[in-house]
Amino acid sequence: MKKSVLVIISLFFVSCSTYTVEQEINKGIIDKYKNSAIIFRLPKSSPVSGEELEKNFNNWLAGFKKNNRLLMINNANDKIKTYDSDFNRFYQISDSNKFLLEKTMGSLSAFNRENDIELKKIISENGLDSLIFYEIDSFFSSTIQYMSFTSVIVIFDAEGKINYLDHQSDAYHTEEVSPFHSKIKMNLMDKMCERLIEELLKLDYIEKE
């Protein structure tokens, strides 16, 4: 009984929440970037495909004036744009869901080291000064009318140095009407895209027309 009450209370509070973002690194040099590219990084088991997310994000982005090139990179190899387990995620947390910055930095360093040649090729071929990675893990269920996602935004410079890092985790109870599956999935994609849009606005990489 107590567990049921706690679940109901938890769902009530998450339904009222907004994006819970915590910033870990923000170096002034990121203000100077004008030729960034964005790469979505999703789990191989993601309920939302990279193509679906990119299409939805481009619809959002089209409503803003860009102060940064913000090229979308969708042809990177799977080692760069996907991950196959929590061990390979940027987003590293403890058993109590505490964000582990040092472990995350270790994961990022390993990722950069293992993909150094490919990352530098992407930067060189596209004339970039930085790469913006948006790593997301998401879940939704029309049966229990629930959706959630966690994410990391990290900005590497052309040499692979990390100049920006934040993380986020949010969950929502939804009261969507039929058709449940397609509607809740679209709402989840909108939230994931809006989270990135809000950060790009804060960084002045985009602005309202």
Side-chain angles (χ1 to χ4, degrees):
M1 180 65 179
K2 287 183 178 180
K3 286 186 178 179
S4 298
V5 172
L6 286 173
V7 169
I8 292 171
I9 292 173
S10 176
L11 286 174
F12 172 78
F13 278 109
V14 297
S15 69
C16 299
S17 67
T18 56
Y19 307 112
T20 308
V21 179
E22 293 187 34
Q23 195 177 97
E24 301 289 349
I25 299 172
N26 187 354
K27 298 183 179 179
I29 187 67
I30 63 174
D31 295 339
K32 297 181 172 60
Y33 294 151
K34 299 296 180 184
N35 288 294
S36 302
I38 297 173
I39 298 178
F40 292 134
R41 189 168 190 255
L42 305 173
K44 289 186 176 181
S45 59
S46 175
V48 175
S49 71
E51 292 78 11
E52 290 173 318
L53 189 60
E54 181 179 344
K55 182 178 180 180
N56 195 53
F57 178 73
N58 281 332
N59 289 338
W60 277 84
L61 191 60
F64 296 85
K65 175 185 175 183
K66 293 198 290 186
N67 300 322
N68 185 315
R69 186 177 169 196
L70 299 179
L71 176 69
M72 297 300 302
I73 301 291
N74 51 28
N75 59 352
N77 66 43
D78 282 349
K79 287 182 65 177
I80 288 178
K81 65 182 182 180
T82 65
Y83 57 93
D84 56 9
S85 74
D86 288 342
F87 294 108
N88 297 323
R89 282 202 70 182
F90 298 160
Y91 186 85
Q92 293 291 324
I93 56 174
S94 68
D95 290 339
S96 59
N97 291 323
K98 178 183 177 182
F99 184 74
L100 301 174
L101 177 58
E102 290 77 12
K103 190 175 181 182
T104 291
M105 294 299 290
S107 178
L108 285 165
S109 295
F111 171 83
N112 208 358
R113 187 169 57 252
E114 292 167 6
N115 298 285
D116 180 66
I117 294 175
E118 179 68 15
L119 292 174
K120 286 182 176 176
K121 181 180 177 182
I122 292 172
I123 289 170
S124 175
E125 289 184 347
N126 293 286
L128 305 174
D129 55 24
S130 52
L131 283 173
I132 302 170
F133 274 89
Y134 186 31
E135 183 196 80
I136 315 162
D137 188 21
S138 60
F139 169 82
F140 73 91
S141 170
S142 56
T143 304
I144 61 174
Q145 297 174 272
Y146 178 85
M147 59 185 180
S148 64
F149 75 105
T150 59
S151 67
V152 167
I153 295 176
V154 58
I155 303 179
F156 293 98
D157 69 10
E159 301 302 319
K161 184 178 180 181
I162 298 169
N163 286 323
Y164 182 87
L165 173 67
D166 73 21
H167 55 95
Q168 161 274 336
S169 178
D170 287 293
Y172 306 89
H173 179 64
T174 179
E175 298 291 346
E176 297 301 340
V177 295
S178 182
F180 276 144
H181 189 273
S182 61
K183 184 63 176 176
I184 196 172
K185 182 176 181 179
M186 180 58 71
N187 284 348
L188 176 60
M189 285 196 294
D190 280 340
K191 287 189 177 296
M192 291 191 293
C193 291
E194 186 180 44
R195 138 79 164 141
L196 179 55
I197 287 290
E198 286 189 359
E199 202 55 46
L200 295 175
L201 280 166
K202 291 176 185 177
L203 295 172
D204 200 34
Y205 290 176
I206 59 173
E207 61 182 280
K208 293 182 179 181
E209 293 278 12

